[in-house]
Short mmCIF file of all heavy atoms in Angstrom, two decimals:
data_model
loop_
_atom_site.label_atom_id
_atom_site.label_comp_id
_atom_site.label_asym_id
_atom_site.label_seq_id
_atom_site.Cartn_x
_atom_site.Cartn_y
_atom_site.Cartn_z
N ALA A 1 74.81 81.11 75.68
CA ALA A 1 75.66 80.61 76.75
C ALA A 1 75.00 79.46 77.53
O ALA A 1 75.64 78.46 77.88
CB ALA A 1 76.01 81.76 77.72
N LYS A 2 73.66 79.56 77.74
CA LYS A 2 72.94 78.48 78.42
C LYS A 2 72.97 77.20 77.60
O LYS A 2 73.22 76.11 78.15
CB LYS A 2 71.49 78.88 78.65
CG LYS A 2 71.25 79.77 79.84
CD LYS A 2 69.77 79.91 80.15
CE LYS A 2 68.98 80.37 78.96
NZ LYS A 2 67.53 80.56 79.25
N GLU A 3 72.73 77.32 76.29
CA GLU A 3 72.72 76.13 75.45
C GLU A 3 74.07 75.48 75.37
O GLU A 3 74.20 74.26 75.43
CB GLU A 3 72.23 76.50 74.03
CG GLU A 3 70.77 76.87 73.97
CD GLU A 3 70.27 76.99 72.54
OE1 GLU A 3 70.58 76.10 71.74
OE2 GLU A 3 69.59 77.97 72.23
N ILE A 4 75.14 76.29 75.29
CA ILE A 4 76.49 75.73 75.24
C ILE A 4 76.78 75.00 76.56
O ILE A 4 77.41 73.94 76.57
CB ILE A 4 77.52 76.84 74.99
CG1 ILE A 4 77.43 77.31 73.56
CG2 ILE A 4 78.93 76.36 75.31
CD1 ILE A 4 78.37 78.43 73.19
N ALA A 5 76.34 75.61 77.67
CA ALA A 5 76.55 74.96 78.98
C ALA A 5 75.88 73.59 79.04
O ALA A 5 76.43 72.62 79.54
CB ALA A 5 76.05 75.86 80.10
N MET A 6 74.66 73.50 78.47
CA MET A 6 73.93 72.25 78.46
C MET A 6 74.63 71.21 77.60
O MET A 6 74.61 70.00 77.91
CB MET A 6 72.51 72.46 77.94
CG MET A 6 71.61 73.24 78.88
SD MET A 6 70.00 73.60 78.10
CE MET A 6 69.36 71.96 77.80
N LEU A 7 75.27 71.67 76.50
CA LEU A 7 75.94 70.74 75.58
C LEU A 7 77.13 70.05 76.22
O LEU A 7 77.57 69.01 75.74
CB LEU A 7 76.38 71.50 74.33
CG LEU A 7 75.27 71.97 73.38
CD1 LEU A 7 75.82 72.89 72.30
CD2 LEU A 7 74.58 70.74 72.73
N GLN A 8 77.69 70.65 77.32
CA GLN A 8 78.88 70.08 77.93
C GLN A 8 78.59 68.77 78.66
O GLN A 8 79.44 67.92 78.83
CB GLN A 8 79.53 71.09 78.90
CG GLN A 8 79.80 72.43 78.28
CD GLN A 8 80.52 72.36 76.94
OE1 GLN A 8 81.62 71.77 76.85
NE2 GLN A 8 79.91 72.94 75.91
N ARG A 9 77.34 68.66 79.18
CA ARG A 9 76.90 67.42 79.86
C ARG A 9 77.83 67.01 80.96
O ARG A 9 78.24 65.85 81.09
CB ARG A 9 76.74 66.32 78.83
CG ARG A 9 75.65 66.62 77.80
CD ARG A 9 75.55 65.55 76.74
NE ARG A 9 74.55 65.88 75.75
CZ ARG A 9 74.35 65.19 74.64
NH1 ARG A 9 75.11 64.12 74.37
NH2 ARG A 9 73.42 65.54 73.78
N ASN A 10 78.22 68.00 81.78
CA ASN A 10 78.99 67.69 82.98
C ASN A 10 78.58 68.68 84.07
O ASN A 10 77.72 69.52 83.90
CB ASN A 10 80.50 67.79 82.66
CG ASN A 10 80.89 69.16 82.09
OD1 ASN A 10 80.28 70.17 82.40
ND2 ASN A 10 81.92 69.16 81.24
N GLU A 11 79.20 68.52 85.25
CA GLU A 11 78.81 69.33 86.41
C GLU A 11 79.07 70.82 86.16
O GLU A 11 78.29 71.69 86.57
CB GLU A 11 79.54 68.85 87.65
CG GLU A 11 79.01 67.55 88.20
CD GLU A 11 77.54 67.64 88.53
OE1 GLU A 11 77.13 68.65 89.17
OE2 GLU A 11 76.76 66.73 88.18
N LYS A 12 80.21 71.12 85.52
CA LYS A 12 80.51 72.53 85.27
C LYS A 12 79.49 73.15 84.32
O LYS A 12 79.09 74.31 84.50
CB LYS A 12 81.93 72.68 84.65
CG LYS A 12 83.05 72.19 85.55
CD LYS A 12 83.16 73.06 86.79
CE LYS A 12 83.72 74.43 86.52
NZ LYS A 12 84.01 75.20 87.77
N GLY A 13 79.05 72.39 83.33
CA GLY A 13 78.04 72.88 82.41
C GLY A 13 76.73 73.09 83.14
O GLY A 13 76.03 74.09 82.90
N LYS A 14 76.35 72.16 84.03
CA LYS A 14 75.12 72.30 84.79
C LYS A 14 75.18 73.52 85.71
O LYS A 14 74.23 74.30 85.83
CB LYS A 14 74.91 71.04 85.61
CG LYS A 14 73.65 71.06 86.46
CD LYS A 14 73.49 69.74 87.23
CE LYS A 14 72.23 69.78 88.08
NZ LYS A 14 72.08 68.53 88.87
N GLU A 15 76.33 73.70 86.36
CA GLU A 15 76.51 74.84 87.25
C GLU A 15 76.40 76.17 86.49
O GLU A 15 75.75 77.13 86.97
CB GLU A 15 77.88 74.74 87.94
CG GLU A 15 78.09 75.80 89.03
CD GLU A 15 79.45 75.65 89.70
OE1 GLU A 15 80.22 74.73 89.30
OE2 GLU A 15 79.73 76.46 90.62
N ALA A 16 77.00 76.19 85.29
CA ALA A 16 76.95 77.41 84.47
C ALA A 16 75.52 77.70 84.03
O ALA A 16 75.05 78.86 84.09
CB ALA A 16 77.84 77.28 83.27
N ARG A 17 74.78 76.65 83.64
CA ARG A 17 73.41 76.85 83.19
C ARG A 17 72.53 77.38 84.31
O ARG A 17 71.74 78.32 84.13
CB ARG A 17 72.84 75.50 82.67
CG ARG A 17 71.38 75.58 82.23
CD ARG A 17 70.89 74.28 81.66
NE ARG A 17 69.48 74.34 81.35
CZ ARG A 17 68.52 74.12 82.25
NH1 ARG A 17 68.86 73.80 83.52
NH2 ARG A 17 67.23 74.19 81.93
N LEU A 18 72.64 76.79 85.51
CA LEU A 18 71.86 77.27 86.66
C LEU A 18 72.22 78.73 87.00
O LEU A 18 71.33 79.53 87.37
CB LEU A 18 72.11 76.37 87.86
CG LEU A 18 71.54 74.92 87.75
CD1 LEU A 18 71.96 74.09 88.97
CD2 LEU A 18 70.02 74.97 87.61
N TYR A 19 73.48 79.05 86.84
CA TYR A 19 73.92 80.42 87.11
C TYR A 19 73.29 81.40 86.12
O TYR A 19 72.77 82.47 86.50
CB TYR A 19 75.45 80.48 87.01
CG TYR A 19 76.02 81.89 87.12
CD1 TYR A 19 76.00 82.60 88.29
CD2 TYR A 19 76.61 82.48 85.99
CE1 TYR A 19 76.53 83.87 88.37
CE2 TYR A 19 77.17 83.75 86.05
CZ TYR A 19 77.13 84.44 87.24
OH TYR A 19 77.66 85.70 87.34
N PHE A 20 73.24 81.01 84.85
CA PHE A 20 72.66 81.87 83.84
C PHE A 20 71.14 82.00 84.02
O PHE A 20 70.57 83.08 83.78
CB PHE A 20 72.97 81.35 82.42
CG PHE A 20 74.42 81.41 82.08
CD1 PHE A 20 75.03 80.40 81.34
CD2 PHE A 20 75.21 82.48 82.45
CE1 PHE A 20 76.38 80.44 81.00
CE2 PHE A 20 76.55 82.54 82.12
CZ PHE A 20 77.13 81.54 81.40
N LEU A 21 70.49 80.92 84.44
CA LEU A 21 69.06 80.97 84.72
C LEU A 21 68.76 81.97 85.84
O LEU A 21 67.78 82.73 85.78
CB LEU A 21 68.55 79.57 85.08
CG LEU A 21 68.39 78.60 83.93
CD1 LEU A 21 68.06 77.20 84.47
CD2 LEU A 21 67.28 79.06 82.97
N GLU A 22 69.59 81.98 86.87
CA GLU A 22 69.39 82.91 88.00
C GLU A 22 69.64 84.34 87.55
O GLU A 22 68.93 85.27 87.95
CB GLU A 22 70.34 82.53 89.13
CG GLU A 22 70.24 83.45 90.37
CD GLU A 22 68.86 83.41 91.02
OE1 GLU A 22 68.06 82.51 90.73
OE2 GLU A 22 68.58 84.36 91.82
N LEU A 23 70.65 84.52 86.71
CA LEU A 23 70.91 85.87 86.16
C LEU A 23 69.69 86.38 85.39
O LEU A 23 69.29 87.54 85.54
CB LEU A 23 72.13 85.86 85.23
CG LEU A 23 73.51 85.87 85.86
CD1 LEU A 23 74.57 85.88 84.77
CD2 LEU A 23 73.70 87.05 86.80
N GLU A 24 69.12 85.48 84.56
CA GLU A 24 67.94 85.89 83.77
C GLU A 24 66.75 86.21 84.68
O GLU A 24 66.03 87.17 84.43
CB GLU A 24 67.53 84.74 82.84
CG GLU A 24 68.34 84.68 81.55
CD GLU A 24 67.76 83.67 80.56
OE1 GLU A 24 67.48 82.53 81.02
OE2 GLU A 24 67.56 84.03 79.41
N ARG A 25 66.59 85.39 85.72
CA ARG A 25 65.47 85.63 86.64
C ARG A 25 65.58 87.01 87.28
O ARG A 25 64.62 87.76 87.36
CB ARG A 25 65.43 84.54 87.72
CG ARG A 25 64.21 84.63 88.64
CD ARG A 25 64.31 83.67 89.81
NE ARG A 25 65.39 84.08 90.73
CZ ARG A 25 65.24 85.09 91.61
NH1 ARG A 25 64.12 85.77 91.69
NH2 ARG A 25 66.23 85.40 92.41
N ARG A 26 66.78 87.33 87.73
CA ARG A 26 67.00 88.63 88.36
C ARG A 26 66.86 89.77 87.33
O ARG A 26 66.30 90.83 87.63
CB ARG A 26 68.37 88.69 89.02
CG ARG A 26 68.52 87.69 90.15
CD ARG A 26 69.77 87.97 90.93
NE ARG A 26 69.94 87.04 92.04
CZ ARG A 26 70.69 87.26 93.12
NH1 ARG A 26 71.36 88.40 93.21
NH2 ARG A 26 70.78 86.39 94.08
N TRP A 27 67.42 89.55 86.15
CA TRP A 27 67.37 90.58 85.10
C TRP A 27 65.92 90.93 84.70
O TRP A 27 65.60 92.08 84.41
CB TRP A 27 68.15 90.08 83.89
CG TRP A 27 68.22 91.05 82.72
CD1 TRP A 27 67.45 91.02 81.60
CD2 TRP A 27 69.08 92.17 82.58
NE1 TRP A 27 67.78 92.02 80.74
CE2 TRP A 27 68.80 92.75 81.33
CE3 TRP A 27 70.10 92.72 83.34
CZ2 TRP A 27 69.46 93.88 80.83
CZ3 TRP A 27 70.79 93.84 82.88
CH2 TRP A 27 70.46 94.41 81.64
N ASN A 28 65.08 89.90 84.68
CA ASN A 28 63.69 90.10 84.25
C ASN A 28 62.74 90.31 85.40
O ASN A 28 61.51 90.34 85.19
CB ASN A 28 63.23 88.87 83.43
CG ASN A 28 63.99 88.75 82.12
OD1 ASN A 28 64.25 89.73 81.45
ND2 ASN A 28 64.35 87.52 81.76
N SER A 29 63.25 90.45 86.62
CA SER A 29 62.38 90.72 87.76
C SER A 29 61.74 92.10 87.60
O SER A 29 62.29 92.99 86.96
CB SER A 29 63.18 90.68 89.08
OG SER A 29 64.11 91.76 89.11
N PRO A 30 60.52 92.31 88.14
CA PRO A 30 59.85 93.63 88.02
C PRO A 30 60.72 94.79 88.50
O PRO A 30 60.70 95.86 87.89
CB PRO A 30 58.61 93.45 88.90
CG PRO A 30 58.36 91.98 88.92
CD PRO A 30 59.70 91.35 88.88
N GLU A 31 61.49 94.54 89.56
CA GLU A 31 62.33 95.63 90.07
C GLU A 31 63.40 96.04 89.07
O GLU A 31 63.63 97.25 88.86
CB GLU A 31 63.01 95.18 91.38
CG GLU A 31 62.04 94.93 92.54
CD GLU A 31 61.39 93.55 92.47
OE1 GLU A 31 61.77 92.76 91.60
OE2 GLU A 31 60.48 93.30 93.28
N MET A 32 64.05 95.05 88.43
CA MET A 32 65.12 95.36 87.49
C MET A 32 64.55 95.98 86.19
O MET A 32 65.13 96.87 85.59
CB MET A 32 65.92 94.10 87.16
CG MET A 32 66.85 93.66 88.29
SD MET A 32 68.03 94.98 88.76
CE MET A 32 68.98 95.11 87.23
N VAL A 33 63.38 95.47 85.76
CA VAL A 33 62.73 96.02 84.57
C VAL A 33 62.38 97.48 84.82
O VAL A 33 62.61 98.37 83.97
CB VAL A 33 61.46 95.23 84.19
CG1 VAL A 33 60.69 95.95 83.10
CG2 VAL A 33 61.85 93.82 83.73
#
């Protein structure tokens, strides 16, 4: 999903990528693990 968002090369794609990065950060946080 992140790679597809980057391929769009527009604001919506950038917004989606940043959203997925934040999801990953939270998912892999010590508390969630």
Side-chain angles (χ1 to χ4, degrees):
K2 279 191 306 182
E3 290 191 46
I4 288 178
M6 290 174 61
L7 290 170
Q8 307 312 303
R9 297 176 182 173
N10 56 30
E11 287 301 315
K12 297 295 288 188
K14 180 179 179 182
E15 187 179 0
R17 178 177 174 276
L18 292 175
Y19 173 69
F20 294 141
L21 285 171
E22 179 62 16
L23 281 182
E24 278 189 312
R25 186 189 68 78
R26 296 191 180 202
W27 180 260
N28 294 319
S29 67
E31 295 81 7
M32 287 301 296
V33 171

